[in-house]
Amino acid sequence: MFESKRWTLKNIDGPSPFELAMMVLSLVSVVIVLTITFGRLDTETNKVLLYIDSSICVIFLSKFFYGLFKARNKTYYLRHHWIDFVASIPAIEALRFARIFQILRVIRLIRMSRSLLIPLLRQRKQTTLASLLVAMVLILATASVLILLVESAEPNANIQTAEQAIWWALVTISTVGYGDFYPVSTIGHVIGGLVIISGVSFFGVISGYMASVFVAPDETERQEEQDAKEAHKEQINSKLEAALEQMQQNQLQMEQNQQEMLTEITKLRQQLDKP
């Protein structure tokens, strides 16, 4: 009963950032498979899409085996996540449609949750990592496909293959700029500029995240030290209050004793004054 209630409350809180990221990547994977299956694209563009799809499959498989490693009951995990493994096998595009079940599962969690933003804000580190993962895949995929489509129509272009397009996207987003492959068309220059801006923003976020990772332990230690000081102060205050209360009780007792003594003295005087 307790486990069922706990599971329900977890679902109400909403999906985790990585579950949302996997849902987005699943949508991208399904769109890629549909494009490969029904789109009339040239061979090199299809190769780019296959490379992207394979990379997404590697991410899915990594998440699956990580979840399997962390699971306490591995049989239960395999029984409920086997379809995720099947849908993550590379080079078999038809299996990728099984990702729809994961998409529906996350959508169900979103519909059951009271708020989608609050759980993401509570798990800022996971949200940052999941956002960086999705952004990296989307930027590399979009840049590779667009630059290949644009440059392949130029006679003097040196980006002609899927491998060259992906390498250019990687070099450009990292702002390294080897110069071995570069766009020659105006639209290609615009795409390159957008990728550079995205790369600068991307690695800026990574730098901020890494800084927070190294700074966070210091903040935790300071917080623990502050909590210890507060606890020590509360302990001292409680002891002082107890001592003051004891002093007040002692004073009341002394006043009561004095009153009793005065009463006795008065009685003795009255007896002595009698003839």
Side-chain angles (χ1 to χ4, degrees):
M1 179 70 181
F2 177 76
E3 292 294 333
S4 176
K5 184 178 180 181
R6 183 178 179 182
W7 183 85
T8 304
L9 290 175
K10 183 178 179 181
N11 285 346
I12 290 176
D13 288 339
S16 66
F18 279 105
E19 287 176 330
L20 291 174
M22 293 302 108
M23 184 192 73
V24 174
L25 293 181
S26 298
L27 287 171
V28 174
S29 178
V30 172
V31 171
I32 289 175
V33 173
L34 290 174
T35 304
I36 294 174
T37 305
F38 300 104
R40 297 180 179 179
L41 302 175
D42 57 90
T43 304
E44 293 300 327
T45 305
N46 281 333
K47 284 178 64 177
V48 171
L49 295 176
L50 284 174
Y51 286 143
I52 296 169
D53 179 60
S54 300
S55 300
I56 295 176
C57 288
V58 171
I59 296 173
F60 289 153
L61 289 174
S62 300
K63 182 179 182 298
F64 174 81
F65 285 111
Y66 177 77
L68 180 62
F69 175 76
K70 297 288 289 184
R72 295 182 179 179
N73 190 339
K74 293 180 170 44
T75 303
Y76 178 86
Y77 183 86
L78 288 173
R79 188 165 62 247
H80 288 79
H81 294 85
W82 64 269
I83 195 168
D84 294 336
F85 174 76
V86 171
S88 303
I89 300 175
I92 306 178
E93 287 74 26
L95 296 179
R96 217 69 68 244
F97 289 105
R99 304 305 307 181
I100 295 175
F101 291 100
Q102 184 183 20
I103 296 172
L104 295 176
R105 185 168 62 215
V106 177
I107 291 175
R108 179 174 174 268
L109 292 177
I110 294 174
R111 292 181 62 185
M112 291 178 61
S113 63
R114 296 178 180 177
S115 175
L116 185 62
L117 183 61
I118 293 177
L120 297 180
L121 293 177
R122 288 177 180 173
Q123 307 175 66
R124 293 183 180 179
K125 289 186 178 180
Q126 290 189 16
T127 302
T128 303
L129 285 177
S131 302
L132 290 175
L133 177 64
V134 173
M136 181 182 66
V137 173
L138 292 180
I139 292 173
L140 288 176
T142 305
S144 301
V145 173
L146 289 179
I147 201 66
L148 187 61
L149 290 174
V150 170
E151 293 295 307
S152 60
E154 296 292 328
N156 299 324
N158 60 359
I159 302 176
Q160 297 290 341
T161 64
E163 292 81 2
Q164 292 171 353
I166 294 175
W167 173 249
W168 172 85
L170 284 170
V171 171
T172 305
I173 196 175
S174 62
T175 66
V176 174
Y178 286 116
D180 48 355
F181 298 103
Y182 52 87
V184 297
S185 63
T186 302
I187 300 179
H189 291 158
V190 173
I191 295 173
L194 294 176
V195 174
I196 292 172
I197 294 173
S198 301
V200 171
S201 304
F202 182 78
F203 285 100
V205 174
I206 292 179
S207 300
Y209 174 77
M210 294 303 297
S212 67
V213 168
F214 287 105
V215 172
D218 296 334
E219 293 180 352
T220 304
E221 292 176 1
R222 287 197 295 269
Q223 185 64 36
E224 291 178 354
E225 185 177 344
Q226 184 68 24
D227 293 340
K229 289 181 179 179
E230 292 293 334
H232 184 63
K233 186 185 295 183
E234 290 179 0
Q235 186 178 4
I236 294 176
N237 290 334
S238 62
K239 289 182 178 180
L240 288 173
E241 290 177 357
L244 289 173
E245 185 177 355
Q246 185 65 35
M247 290 175 64
Q248 290 177 355
Q249 291 179 357
N250 293 337
Q251 186 178 1
L252 291 175
Q253 186 66 34
M254 289 176 63
E255 291 177 354
Q256 185 178 358
N257 293 337
Q258 289 177 356
Q259 186 67 32
E260 291 177 356
M261 290 177 63
L262 290 174
T263 303
E264 291 294 331
I265 292 172
T266 303
K267 287 181 180 180
L268 289 173
R269 285 181 176 178
Q270 290 176 354
Q271 290 177 1
L272 291 173
D273 291 341
K274 286 181 180 182

